Amino acid sequence: MNYIVFDLEFNQAYRSKKEKSIISNEKCPFEIIQIGAIKLDKNFQKIQTFNKLIKPHIYTTLNPFVENLTGITINDLNSSKPFKDIYEEFVNFIQGDKNILCVWGLADIKELFRNIKYHNLDISIIPKEYINLQQFASKYLKCPKGIHIGLNKAVNLLNIPLDSKFHNAFADAYYTTEVFKKIYNDKIQIKTYNPISQRTQNALNKEKKEVDYYGLIKQFEKMFNREMSEEEKKIIKLSYIMGKTNQFQVKSPKEASTKK
């Protein structure tokens, strides 16, 4: 049995000064631009590493926030291979003995499967068993119930040396690996992730639409590399709800002049 500790960096749509609104692809709002991974054997010995940038297909302009956060440039991405090619390399990387995916929060697993589906690639070859190390690190470090510790803070509390900056997929995979080594115990449970097909998901959405507020908050915490306060969580939820009402949408000058 091997552990595949991996992390992802994403690009997403944004509104430039020239644009009136954000145009995001609802099928893939977060496009993977980097995959970093470390393969460990059952004794936590490193077997192999994986670190690849990905040429964007959906959002060909790099979000300035993402560029500032990760240090990745659009030139770096444009000189890289597209997702389909990197996915094939990643599949080769994880093949072999039984593999368990290890992540810091579920967002990366969800977005990995969503990106694979978007590109119409085979998801069956990706392991479904996983360990959410953020959950167990939060318990190990005795965080209050409902609080999920950030990777940066966990690394500091566990006195893990800082060798690289955070928000680089490979560096974060490395830090997640070091945390895993520190907190491992027999109580850590392996779960199974069940990626729902897009057709099934659409059917469910028609029956009942619900917002994954947990995932929404986790994405904010990942982007800002810290926990959101209870007040910030309420503001994020309220903003999302208010945005869906469309009450703040205004006509563009071009559209308004056309209707006169």
Side-chain angles (χ1 to χ4, degrees):
M1 180 184 72
N2 297 324
Y3 299 107
I4 306 294
V5 186
F6 81 95
D7 189 84
L8 307 173
E9 295 298 335
F10 312 105
N11 189 26
Q12 61 200 79
Y14 78 102
R15 187 179 68 182
S16 68
K17 294 181 180 179
K18 296 180 180 180
E19 295 172 323
K20 300 299 180 181
S21 61
I22 298 175
I23 301 176
S24 180
N25 190 312
E26 62 179 11
K27 292 183 178 180
C28 193
F30 300 103
E31 182 176 19
I32 299 172
I33 57 173
Q34 185 187 16
I35 301 177
I38 298 174
K39 181 188 289 187
L40 306 171
D41 65 18
K42 63 181 181 180
N43 298 315
F44 299 104
Q45 296 299 310
K46 183 169 65 177
I47 300 173
Q48 194 177 355
T49 62
F50 187 91
N51 184 17
K52 298 289 182 178
L53 294 176
I54 299 171
K55 184 177 182 178
H57 171 75
I58 306 170
Y59 310 112
T60 55
T61 300
L62 187 59
N63 188 313
F65 176 82
V66 173
E67 182 175 4
N68 181 63
L69 187 70
T70 64
I72 298 171
T73 68
I74 192 63
N75 289 334
D76 295 331
L77 298 178
N78 285 337
S79 61
S80 303
K81 297 179 181 178
F83 183 83
K84 181 179 180 180
D85 294 340
I86 299 301
Y87 180 60
E88 290 179 1
E89 294 181 21
F90 186 62
V91 167
N92 290 331
F93 170 76
I94 63 177
Q95 284 182 344
D97 297 334
K98 177 181 178 181
N99 292 304
I100 308 297
L101 298 179
C102 300
V103 289
W104 195 263
L106 287 181
D108 283 356
I109 288 183
K110 290 181 179 180
E111 296 308 326
L112 175 62
F113 280 105
R114 178 146 56 181
N115 275 254
I116 296 170
K117 289 179 182 178
Y118 177 85
H119 290 279
N120 295 316
L121 300 172
D122 186 5
I123 66 171
S124 66
I125 47 184
I126 299 296
K128 306 301 185 297
E129 291 186 308
Y130 74 92
I131 299 173
N132 180 0
L133 292 171
Q134 184 184 41
Q135 175 186 356
F136 292 104
S138 299
K139 291 181 179 179
Y140 182 90
L141 294 169
K142 296 181 171 49
C143 294
K145 187 176 181 180
I147 298 296
H148 298 274
I149 194 169
L151 181 59
N152 192 333
K153 188 173 182 179
V155 167
N156 288 329
L157 290 175
L158 292 170
N159 297 313
I160 295 171
L162 296 175
D163 297 323
S164 304
K165 292 183 178 180
F166 290 91
H167 296 300
N168 171 283
F170 185 74
D172 288 355
Y174 165 77
Y175 288 129
T176 303
T177 298
E178 294 305 302
V179 171
F180 191 16
K181 294 176 182 179
K182 291 269 189 177
I183 69 171
Y184 179 78
N185 59 67
D186 293 337
K187 294 182 180 180
I188 289 183
Q189 299 176 344
I190 298 172
K191 296 183 178 181
T192 301
Y193 183 75
N194 181 26
I196 302 175
S197 68
Q198 190 64 49
R199 181 178 297 179
T200 303
Q201 185 65 60
N202 290 338
L204 291 173
N205 288 341
K206 288 181 180 179
E207 295 175 5
K208 185 178 180 181
K209 292 185 177 181
E210 295 183 354
V211 178
D212 180 10
Y213 288 114
Y214 174 81
L216 180 64
I217 299 299
K218 290 299 107 183
Q219 183 59 34
F220 270 87
E221 291 183 336
K222 179 179 177 64
M223 292 170 63
F224 288 93
N225 195 29
R226 65 177 179 83
E227 299 172 16
M228 296 289 110
S229 67
E230 290 303 315
E231 182 178 2
E232 287 172 327
K233 291 178 182 178
K234 291 178 181 178
I235 293 173
I236 293 170
K237 291 179 181 179
L238 180 60
S239 298
Y240 187 87
I241 294 171
M242 292 174 69
K244 291 186 69 176
T245 66
N246 297 325
Q247 61 179 307
F248 299 105
Q249 289 188 352
V250 295
K251 296 178 180 179
S252 67
K254 182 177 180 180
E255 182 183 358
S257 62
T258 304
K259 293 185 177 182
K260 286 183 179 179

